[in-house]
Amino acid sequence: MNLKETILVTGACGQIGTELVKALRQKYGKDSVIATDIREVTEALCSDGPYFKLDVLDKYALEKLTIDLHVTHIYHLAAVLSANGEKNPLGSWDLNMKSLLNVLEVARAENLKQVFWPSSIAVFGPDAPKELCGQDASTLPTTVYGISKIAGEHWCRYYNEQYGLDVRSIRYPGLISYSAQAGGGTTDYAVDIYHQALKSGRYQCFLSEETRLPMMYMPDAVRATLELMDAPSENITIRGSYNLAGLSFNPAELAATITNQLPDFKITYQPDARQQIANSWPGSIDDTPAKTDWNWKPEYDVYSMTTDMLQHLAETYHAEALQSK
Ligand SMILES: NC(=O)c1ccc[n+]([C@@H]2O[C@H](COP(=O)([O-])OP(=O)(O)OC[C@H]3O[C@@H](n4cnc5c(N)ncnc54)[C@H](O)[C@@H]3O)[C@@H](O)[C@H]2O)c1
């Protein structure tokens, strides 16, 4: 990306957008990165750089903003996540698919340079290997979210093959971060657990203790995204979406890393409907093509993640407590 180029991020107020916008602004300058979301404009949202309210289902508004602001790259993050998706399957399909098609169409019509769109490990279903699930493993998802992601991958590849659009994608695992709350997915427990550990010293987990899932700490996910988008086009052999591996743990193992630092912390288990979704997913991912094509390598393990999460959240809660005095 050069200095005259401009990135537009959709769904910028969510768990990933909050961190990705920060990283993109650090790299390209704050005025080169336009944050958008369906949420109302507030002073706080505009404090770090340009922010516009945008419903990405409104193709005309997306196209107008793209033309008016001379946008060259779109990072399309707006979506309904796995657990929330099951509450309204048709509405979720509409948001996840129509918004992606709006972005791809605007990118094609306006000749944009690049599009980033995240897929998910939710593309896999119960027939895929539980351990080290490979790039080309069977994709027969059981959730509307997974169906929308695998369909989206096909559309991305189609736009690349038919129109030469430089669209790139990662199948993110469950993401863990401290800046924003998790957005209604099946792996949200791995974010909530840290908040509750600090607030009450207890956590009731909605997945069973042995439910192993692929996960990643947000700094690794953000770096992976920047590295994928920076890689030379000829290195990108996968135009659907890349498998990406970082961590793999179950709730009991994650809780043990917390008890290590907060010895009084207690976890209990009461699985709900999300257990069924988790059971349909792999426990770990093989990401050989990401390693080969753009040198992907995660940095955090589960212990360094827990140390970092607890430290940042403790600072946040401490600052909030001081403010409320
Ligand atoms: N967080 C994860 O663990 C994870 C894992 C795999 C894939 N992903 C994918 O990454 C992307 C971002 O996920 P996230 O966790 O940040 O989600 P999130 O739910 O935290 O954020 C989504 C954002 O989209 C916005 N939005 C909703 N409808 C909109 C609309 N019509 N127009 C514009 N904005 C709208 C919401 O206000 C919200 O800020 C999604 O595509 C998701 O499927 C996330």
Side-chain angles (χ1 to χ4, degrees):
M1 213 180 108
N2 67 43
L3 284 175
K4 288 209 179 106
E5 296 175 333
T6 302
I7 294 172
L8 182 143
V9 181
T10 75
C13 300
Q15 192 196 1
I16 299 175
T18 314
E19 298 286 339
L20 190 59
V21 166
K22 235 185 277 168
L24 288 167
R25 283 182 174 156
Q26 228 158 46
K27 186 162 177 184
Y28 299 112
K30 69 178 172 60
D31 293 330
S32 302
V33 181
I34 296 150
T36 72
D37 199 286
I38 201 166
R39 300 186 202 187
E40 289 300 333
V41 180
T42 61
E43 256 177 59
L45 286 173
C46 296
S47 65
D48 297 331
Y51 175 84
F52 290 84
K53 182 182 175 192
L54 171 70
D55 178 351
V56 77
L57 289 176
D58 183 346
K59 183 171 168 237
Y60 174 75
L62 172 68
E63 190 152 30
K64 183 163 177 356
L65 210 54
T66 302
I67 295 169
D68 290 352
L69 301 174
H70 308 289
V71 169
T72 50
H73 298 59
I74 296 181
Y75 288 62
H76 174 41
L77 305 179
V80 181
L81 270 59
S82 57
N84 281 348
E86 293 309 290
K87 294 176 192 161
N88 177 7
L90 297 186
S92 308
W93 173 260
D94 273 357
L95 173 57
N96 292 4
M97 288 323 304
K98 280 190 187 156
S99 69
L100 174 62
L101 289 172
N102 284 350
V103 167
L104 292 173
E105 262 307 284
V106 167
R108 180 192 64 76
E110 301 307 325
N111 216 3
L112 299 197
K113 296 206 163 153
Q114 274 189 326
V115 170
F116 174 77
W117 169 79
S119 182
S120 160
I121 54 135
V123 295
F124 297 115
D127 62 325
K130 283 284 167 216
E131 293 310 322
L132 294 176
C133 181
Q135 180 70 42
D136 297 324
S138 166
T139 44
L140 287 173
T142 57
T143 58
V144 69
Y145 177 70
I147 298 171
S148 73
K149 288 297 186 190
I150 194 65
E153 289 188 15
H154 293 312
W155 276 112
C156 288
R157 204 178 47 250
Y158 181 85
Y159 269 73
N160 176 260
E161 286 169 1
Q162 297 299 318
Y163 308 119
L165 182 65
D166 186 358
V167 47
R168 305 181 185 195
S169 176
I170 285 174
R171 288 171 176 162
Y172 288 133
L175 299 179
I176 296 149
S177 64
Y178 54 83
S179 294
Q181 295 288 341
T186 305
T187 54
D188 287 8
Y189 89 84
V191 176
D192 302 340
I193 193 172
Y194 291 105
H195 289 270
Q196 292 309 320
L198 288 167
K199 283 204 264 195
S200 67
R202 308 191 162 268
Y203 181 64
Q204 181 168 293
C205 185
F206 59 76
L207 297 182
S208 69
E209 58 184 307
E210 74 285 356
T211 310
R212 175 175 301 279
L213 289 171
M215 302 276 192
M216 183 172 284
Y217 195 32
M218 190 63 85
D220 272 340
V222 166
R223 188 170 50 80
T225 308
L226 300 184
E227 288 177 4
L228 169 68
M229 295 304 273
D230 270 351
S233 190
E234 59 274 18
N235 290 17
I236 305 301
T237 61
I238 291 169
R239 291 293 182 169
S241 188
Y242 278 96
N243 270 13
L244 192 74
L247 310 170
S248 166
F249 54 77
N250 64 37
E253 289 163 346
L254 184 61
T257 68
I258 297 175
T259 320
N260 233 351
Q261 304 200 27
L262 304 172
D264 294 335
F265 174 65
K266 294 270 177 301
I267 184 165
T268 53
Y269 301 92
Q270 186 145 42
D272 65 16
R274 288 169 277 193
Q275 183 68 49
Q276 224 181 339
I277 300 177
N279 289 346
S280 76
W281 289 349
S284 65
I285 297 290
D286 178 330
D287 61 354
T288 303
K291 288 180 181 139
T292 313
D293 290 0
W294 41 281
N295 299 319
W296 165 243
K297 193 167 179 284
E299 276 175 7
Y300 282 86
D301 62 24
V302 65
Y303 297 97
S304 49
M305 174 179 77
T306 289
T307 305
D308 205 55
M309 279 293 286
L310 290 176
Q311 193 185 325
H312 278 98
L313 287 177
E315 282 165 15
T316 307
Y317 285 126
H318 183 64
E320 280 176 12
L322 286 180
Q323 252 176 6
S324 67
K325 272 188 188 161

